[in-house]
Amino acid sequence: MSKRRFPSAGGRRHGAPSSVLRRASIGGIVLAVLLAVAGLVAYVTRAESPAAPKATPAPASSSASPSPAATTHTGVAVAAPPRTTDPIEFAKAATKVLWTYDTRSFSQAEHMAGLKRWMTDEKKYADWKSVSDQVPSPVLWSRMRDNGQHAGATVGEGHFPQAFKTALAQDPGAITEAYVYAVTVTGKQSIAWKGSGAGAESRSTTLAVQCRPNRDCALVGVLPNVAP
């Protein structure tokens, strides 16, 4: 199975620090958090980047290693977000739902509504576009449904990117305005479709997660590139 990423995100934003919060881009949010740290501007500013391929109905053969068909039907399109104040724990849970879908049982609109529940309610930080870009269009979702495509995910480890940890060590107070954390998560996505077809691939992603003191964490968005 050729590399098939359910998410599709196109880089599309960059901006001056003074307009970061108004524009609510992931790169801008992280830049606002770490603005006082020299050398990270190029790393966290969201510039134009190649779009990742959207998921397509699986072909009859695949270059990926076969795996058992993924079963994702749980009665709800997307699992509810966990109640936690740990950004890494939350990011791992969020990654799992971003890599999990079932076109057989739920519509694209139902899936999108489920993901929406994971978002922060602070509009100046929420980058819903970076999350909704992870979901195929209604037309593509319908084609995937015709093919019975569905996916499950196994999440491995999560960590703060090294640049993020370095920045916090140099200026711990920089995060106290937005409380937005960058978290990189690795794992494996298993995809299955009609005719006993199946495949799996290792994946990684970097999310922006907001965890204010004494409040449950919420998703801010998906960074355009994986941060080591």
Side-chain angles (χ1 to χ4, degrees):
M1 177 175 170
S2 59
K3 285 206 169 183
R4 174 180 299 98
R5 295 200 176 191
F6 179 58
S8 172
R12 55 196 176 279
R13 292 180 274 269
H14 67 279
S18 61
S19 64
V20 163
L21 300 185
R22 292 192 303 274
R23 299 183 66 177
S25 68
I26 289 298
I29 291 167
V30 180
L31 177 59
V33 174
L34 303 178
L35 188 58
V37 183
L40 283 183
V41 174
Y43 171 72
V44 298
T45 300
R46 186 165 192 167
E48 193 71 22
S49 61
K54 286 190 175 182
T56 56
S61 62
S62 169
S63 59
S65 301
S67 66
T71 301
T72 61
H73 182 60
T74 60
V76 294
V78 176
R83 305 199 60 170
T84 179
T85 57
D86 183 334
I88 293 179
E89 179 182 344
F90 182 89
K92 290 171 68 173
T95 297
K96 185 170 184 177
V97 301
L98 287 172
W99 292 350
T100 300
Y101 60 91
D102 190 347
T103 65
R104 305 166 303 174
S105 303
F106 304 104
S107 68
Q108 192 257 18
E110 289 172 326
H111 188 84
M112 293 278 275
L115 290 178
K116 193 84 172 181
R117 294 186 301 162
W118 287 71
M119 299 297 298
T120 176
D121 58 7
E122 297 186 36
K123 294 182 179 180
K124 66 180 180 179
Y125 296 115
D127 187 6
W128 170 241
K129 185 68 164 59
S130 72
V131 176
S132 62
D133 278 353
Q134 312 303 302
V135 184
S137 68
V139 172
L140 181 55
W141 186 279
S142 178
R143 292 174 181 171
M144 292 165 63
R145 182 170 186 168
D146 290 341
N147 206 34
Q149 189 164 317
H150 52 289
T154 301
V155 174
E157 65 91 33
H159 65 271
F160 297 126
Q162 185 58 50
F164 188 79
K165 292 191 294 183
T166 299
L168 290 181
Q170 292 176 345
D171 187 2
I175 201 170
T176 58
E177 180 179 348
Y179 284 97
V180 174
Y181 300 80
V183 183
T184 295
V185 180
T186 61
K188 180 176 289 187
Q189 183 186 47
S190 301
I191 302 176
W193 56 93
K194 285 181 179 179
S196 301
E201 66 171 341
S202 297
R203 299 190 56 189
S204 59
T205 189
T206 301
L207 305 182
V209 174
Q210 185 180 52
C211 297
R212 289 197 180 278
N214 304 315
R215 290 181 58 182
D216 292 331
C217 295
L219 182 61
V220 170
V222 182
L223 270 70
N225 300 302
V226 177

